[in-house]
Amino acid sequence: MNLIHHPKRYILDIAVGVMFASMLLFGSVYIYRLNNDARDLVLDSALAMQGQQYSNDLGCVACHTVDGSPAVGPSWLHMWGRTENIGRGHTIVVDEDYIRESIKEPGTKVVANFPNVMSRYYLEEPQITALIEYIKALRDPGVNAAQ
């Protein structure tokens, strides 16, 4: 009997497809709601606001929160200037060079206890600069927020 064309196989294929579609839909809604604060934060720097828009458009907020809550990647809240452990006794300071390198070559220096799952992004320099300004603004968003 050929199992590929068996009637029960079609039911299984449909069930698996529905399950994956549901996971994608509900997972996307969950991430959108989880990072809603990333879209609502108003900053006093136009460049930082542009970086915020890029982080939403490019999907950065799917892995990096801006409220300090745990996620796939490190939260950007208070990250700027912080010393991070990258394993094997090595540390880095989160600065422009580190952010730029993490966007262009994400697997080079991964913060300890986070998976190495970030894809390489091919961004223009103005986009990278705007993202850096956004992350800088999140070092103390209360000070940088427009009232």
Side-chain angles (χ1 to χ4, degrees):
M1 173 182 259
N2 186 350
L3 294 177
I4 292 177
H5 299 293
H6 193 277
K8 290 184 181 178
R9 171 64 192 252
Y10 293 119
I11 294 170
L12 177 64
D13 288 346
I14 291 170
V16 169
V18 167
M19 181 186 71
F20 282 131
S22 298
M23 288 171 54
L24 179 64
L25 173 68
F26 292 116
S28 297
V29 169
Y30 175 74
I31 289 170
Y32 180 85
R33 294 195 62 174
L34 180 68
N35 287 306
N36 210 26
D37 53 344
R39 288 175 283 283
D40 294 339
L41 190 62
V42 178
L43 304 167
D44 62 2
S45 163
L47 189 56
M49 290 297 294
Q50 188 176 28
Q52 178 187 45
Q53 186 64 47
Y54 286 139
S55 77
N56 293 324
D57 294 347
L58 297 169
C60 305
V61 295
C63 296
H64 300 282
T65 64
V66 297
D67 64 357
S69 62
V72 175
S75 177
W76 288 348
L77 182 66
H78 307 301
M79 185 181 204
W80 188 262
R82 190 168 62 204
T83 300
E84 293 284 5
N85 178 9
I86 58 171
R88 298 184 185 196
H90 299 285
T91 60
I92 52 92
V93 173
V94 178
D95 60 9
E96 287 191 30
D97 292 335
Y98 173 73
I99 298 297
R100 187 170 274 106
E101 181 179 30
S102 293
I103 292 169
K104 292 180 177 183
E105 299 289 337
T108 305
K109 297 175 185 164
V110 179
V111 175
N113 301 317
F114 288 97
N116 181 10
V117 295
M118 184 170 157
S119 299
R120 178 183 293 164
Y121 284 84
Y122 297 96
L123 303 180
E124 301 291 327
E125 188 57 34
Q127 293 173 301
I128 294 173
T129 301
L131 284 168
I132 288 170
E133 287 303 311
Y134 179 48
I135 295 169
K136 278 184 189 178
L138 292 171
R139 71 182 146 209
D140 191 355
V143 171
N144 297 305
Q147 302 299 326

